[in-house]
Amino acid sequence: MSVEFAGLRLANPVFTASGTCGYADELADFMDVDALGGFITKSITLKPRKGNPTPRIVETDAGMLNAIGLANVGLERFVAEKLPVIARMKSAVFVNVAGTTIEEYVAVVERLAGEKALAGFELNISCPNVKKGGISFGTDPAQVEEITRAVKKACGSKVLIVKLAPAVTDISVTARAAVAGGADALSLINTFTAMVIDIETRRPVLTNRTGGLSGPAIKPIAVYLVNKVYREVAREARIPLLGLGGIRSAADAVEFLMAGATAVAVGTASFVEPDCAVQIVAGLRDYCARKKITRLAELTGSLDRPA
Amino acid sequence: MTQERASRKKGSHTATVLSNVQAGECFWKLRFRFEGEAAQAFAGFRPGQFIQFDTSELAIPSIETIPVALRNGARRNVLLRRPFSFSDVTVESNVTTADLLYCIVGPASLRMTTLREGDTASIVGPLGNGFAVREGTRIALLVVGGMGLPPIRCLAKSLSVEHPDITAVAFIGSRTVNALPLEERPAVFEEDLSLSVPTFATLGVPSMVATDDGSAGHRGPVTECLSQWLQENADRPREEIVVYACGPERMLAAVARIANEKDIDCQVSMERRMACGIGLCQSCAIECRLADSDETIYKLCCQDGPVFDAREVVFGTDDA
């Protein structure tokens, strides 16, 4: 079940996605967090952020919209309170980093680059719910390359994953820009900007007006985009992809692997079944046994190889 | 010492449905049985704590039985769990039974009406912090507005069993008499505190009902009953009194204001839209004052609450 991901040997290819699993061991009451292949923290910014006023979420027919607004404790408290807990975790831990300027991203990464407890960083340049920074970095290829290069320089030996925004004309363009900037891996996809209207009050349900759509609704799009980036960018550049978007079962995870992902992340599903990610690890093991697959890497991108 | 407000271990559990019946025009009542590890987990349930209930796999009732106002949304898929508080928890050796009083408001609660005896349900809990009973409390004033009834009824029982030295009094507010659960409707609505509301009377808790439309009991907001009681009992030492409230946020804000004016401790059970209920999604933010500061922070309803000290909450409009 082990996989190689950007030079790291991971026990299995299943991660929990940023913003859905807390800072460290919050899910420990429900599952063995050490059974995860990887763990991505909630977004950390240089200064603490309160986040948006409520309502911050609304359920839709096959997913949910969130507009949390990057609420987080900030770098200082993260280092003081969360890092010691992370140091005891066995899975590869990546800190998701967000900011409003390149300097802020770099400052967070510089402070954390020397921490042994961390495997690397995930660059959040695709958050749809903040006014400055976030997705505005992630849709312009020149900015994607610039911020990736600046952060990579601060990363030291740590792995840098760049998380891509899905709502762009051609996601391969931003993927190429991230690779050119020095990304070690790409994660895709983040949420889609969306809106739900309350027809009684004639107002958007979310105070932020819009929110990021996640959950089963976006899974087929995510599978397509992973496959597109795999074929057009990642395969040739030998850059691993972390696939996510609506994964709820091992079967969903296998689709992403076949489409070209080396690893997968479970997000919204953890809200419903807190131990969903470790159930998926078990389900993947069963699938491999049934299909007589000895190395998971065989599955990656197998969609585009002869059956 | 303040009693523990949270049971120690939360988890994902399976419950068996013992019964599921309509309990009034607005309310339904589900009774669950927990066995084994789950029985132990919920034996430690504290009043005011909550559960996250998975209704995503339940059947939709037939369309003609669905209230017209809910038909538009009835077929919408349910993805997320829904938070509920128990109205009663009974522990007997290795079995814990719990009552969930609910209103039909959307696709999830509609689906809940199709549960039948013997069905199983997936429940995450017990979650959050319940009401705290501080040492020195002699009088507990229980204030309910509409759907805020379940955790307060649960608290009334726990007070009568675990704190017989505390005198509890309940004020139950409802839009109209027909919106009260059947069990809560007395044969005769008294205008003053009396042992009239059956579920509270059996616990020895005097109560009175207030309705917005005057269809029963006091006509007007339930907070007027609270104010009146405080006025009539102005000689009671304020440090002996605690107000516990659950209901619409506007009501909680009014209760908090009344308690604050008299410098009486007040605990409010808050509600917010939640995705996870376990502190991951950060959606259930409650704006809270920082002590000795004009600054506010967001706390999480699921993790820091749902019961908060009324002094720290910056009340807004109804959210959930």
Side-chain angles (χ1 to χ4, degrees):
Chain A
M1 285 291 284
S2 72
V3 289
E4 199 195 296
F5 183 85
L8 301 167
R9 176 56 59 181
L10 307 179
N12 64 68
V14 182
F15 287 52
T16 46
S18 178
T20 64
C21 52
Y23 295 101
D25 64 347
E26 283 91 334
L27 274 167
D29 275 337
F30 297 93
M31 66 180 192
D32 176 10
V33 286
D34 292 333
L36 294 168
F39 178 93
I40 306 180
T41 69
K42 178 157 187 53
S43 288
I44 303 297
T45 50
L46 187 57
K47 299 284 175 220
R49 282 181 63 100
K50 276 175 78 170
N52 293 327
T54 57
R56 291 176 169 183
I57 57 156
V58 56
E59 188 181 70
T60 65
D61 205 17
M64 61 176 277
L65 268 57
N66 87 79
I68 307 301
L70 297 178
N72 79 97
V73 296
L75 177 64
E76 204 175 305
R77 271 185 66 194
F78 175 75
V79 169
E81 296 168 22
K82 314 296 180 186
L83 261 187
V85 185
I86 289 173
R88 294 194 293 272
M89 289 168 64
K90 293 199 180 83
S91 44
V93 177
F94 297 81
V95 174
N96 182 291
V97 182
T100 54
T101 63
I102 291 181
E103 291 71 29
E104 279 178 32
Y105 282 89
V106 169
V108 174
V109 171
E110 270 177 349
R111 169 62 189 84
L112 296 172
E115 295 292 341
K116 280 205 188 74
L118 303 175
F121 302 95
E122 182 179 57
L123 200 55
N124 183 357
I125 49 171
S126 43
C127 176
N129 298 323
V130 291
K131 286 199 180 68
K132 276 169 62 192
I135 203 162
S136 60
F137 281 119
T139 49
D140 172 6
Q143 284 193 64
V144 170
E145 186 173 338
E146 190 190 352
I147 192 169
T148 305
R149 180 163 291 125
V151 171
K152 179 63 189 168
K153 241 166 91 184
C155 258
S157 58
K158 304 286 194 215
V159 170
L160 178 63
I161 308 171
V162 175
K163 191 168 187 175
L164 301 179
V168 290
T169 312
D170 183 354
I171 196 169
S172 292
V173 173
T174 38
R176 257 180 232 113
V179 172
D184 301 303
L186 303 175
S187 55
L188 63 160
I189 54 175
N190 208 322
T191 56
F192 285 89
T193 303
M195 184 189 269
V196 174
I197 294 168
D198 181 335
I199 61 166
E200 302 303 323
T201 61
R202 213 196 286 168
R203 301 290 312 147
V205 172
L206 299 177
T207 307
N208 190 52
R209 292 183 71 90
T210 59
L213 175 64
S214 65
I218 69 169
K219 197 197 84 183
I221 316 177
V223 169
Y224 158 67
L225 292 174
V226 164
N227 188 237
K228 178 175 161 68
V229 170
Y230 177 73
R231 296 190 332 160
E232 296 177 4
V233 183
R235 184 169 48 189
E236 206 182 300
R238 297 181 171 277
I239 293 279
L241 301 180
L242 175 65
L244 73 159
I247 295 175
R248 290 204 281 186
S249 66
D252 293 341
V254 170
E255 276 196 61
F256 276 85
L257 297 175
M258 287 178 171
T262 296
V264 296
V266 181
T268 301
S270 298
F271 295 157
V272 185
E273 292 301 335
D275 66 345
C276 185
V278 295
Q279 284 184 34
I280 288 175
V281 174
L284 276 180
R285 196 168 282 131
D286 292 346
Y287 177 83
C288 289
R290 185 160 62 83
K291 292 287 187 183
K292 301 195 171 31
I293 292 165
T294 50
R295 286 175 57 249
L296 265 177
E298 286 174 39
L299 275 177
T300 297
S302 57
L303 178 69
D304 295 300
R305 288 198 294 270
Chain B
M1 201 191 79
T2 299
Q3 189 171 333
E4 201 172 341
R5 294 171 68 203
S7 57
R8 275 170 298 277
K9 183 147 167 70
K10 52 196 177 197
S12 196
H13 302 285
T14 302
T16 308
V17 174
L18 289 178
S19 61
N20 185 25
V21 292
Q22 193 152 7
E25 273 169 42
C26 300
F27 284 90
W28 281 63
K29 188 161 101 174
L30 248 173
R31 178 163 288 173
F32 291 118
R33 186 180 64 218
F34 295 99
E35 290 172 6
E37 215 175 287
Q40 275 177 22
F42 285 97
F45 184 89
R46 303 303 311 157
Q49 284 195 288
F50 69 102
I51 59 151
Q52 281 275 70
F53 186 15
D54 182 8
T55 66
S56 62
E57 286 170 20
L58 305 183
I60 309 172
S62 60
I63 195 83
E64 63 273 14
T65 66
I66 297 173
V68 176
L70 294 175
R71 281 186 194 169
N72 271 327
R75 287 210 170 80
R76 195 165 68 64
N77 280 318
V78 174
L79 174 73
L80 302 169
R81 288 172 183 266
R82 297 293 192 267
F84 292 98
S85 195
F86 287 138
S87 58
D88 193 5
V89 176
T90 307
V91 183
E92 272 168 38
S93 57
N94 298 322
V95 177
T96 301
T97 54
D99 288 351
L100 191 162
L101 209 50
Y102 63 102
C103 279
I104 305 174
V105 296
S109 45
L110 263 177
R111 281 165 169 76
M112 284 164 68
T113 62
T114 64
L115 279 166
R116 296 286 174 266
E117 184 186 351
D119 290 348
T120 56
S122 164
I123 288 176
V124 168
L127 303 172
N129 297 300
F131 295 104
V133 181
R134 169 174 60 68
E135 201 174 321
T137 305
R138 289 281 161 271
I139 297 164
L141 304 178
L142 314 179
V143 188
V144 168
M147 266 313 292
L149 180 70
I152 295 291
R153 200 208 267 174
C154 194
L155 174 65
K157 182 179 169 186
S158 132
L159 288 172
S160 74
V161 174
E162 295 167 31
H163 302 276
D165 52 321
I166 296 176
T167 305
V169 172
F171 306 97
I172 301 159
S174 183
R175 201 165 30 79
T176 179
V177 63
N178 289 336
L180 282 170
L182 286 171
E183 292 178 321
E184 252 65 34
R185 285 187 218 172
V188 179
F189 284 92
E190 308 284 350
E191 289 287 328
D192 295 305
L193 276 176
S194 65
L195 289 170
S196 60
V197 175
T199 44
F200 286 87
T202 55
L203 303 168
V205 176
S207 56
M208 64 182 293
V209 169
T211 53
D212 295 345
D213 63 358
S215 49
H218 172 79
R219 180 195 198 106
V222 68
T223 44
E224 290 177 0
C225 304
L226 173 69
S227 292
Q228 198 189 336
W229 188 96
L230 288 169
Q231 213 163 21
E232 287 167 5
N233 294 273
D235 55 328
R236 305 296 294 249
R238 54 173 180 74
E239 58 277 7
E240 290 185 357
I241 307 172
V242 179
V243 178
Y244 297 97
C246 186
E249 193 152 331
R250 264 187 300 271
M251 182 205 90
L252 296 180
V255 170
R257 210 162 37 237
I258 294 164
N260 200 33
E261 276 164 14
K262 310 258 184 224
D263 201 17
I264 291 169
D265 272 2
C266 176
Q267 296 174 29
V268 289
S269 177
M270 303 290 291
E271 191 170 32
R272 284 290 182 272
R273 287 168 189 264
M274 289 179 186
C276 70
I278 52 176
L280 306 176
C281 72
Q282 311 267 317
S283 50
C284 58
I286 304 266
E287 193 173 11
C288 289
R289 288 181 193 86
L290 279 176
D292 309 318
S293 156
D294 293 336
E295 246 187 280
T296 63
I297 55 166
Y298 282 122
K299 291 192 174 182
L300 295 182
C301 191
C302 71
Q303 211 167 39
D304 304 307
V307 175
F308 289 86
D309 184 327
R311 286 186 189 92
E312 70 172 332
V313 177
V314 181
F315 293 96
T317 50
D318 288 0
D319 172 47

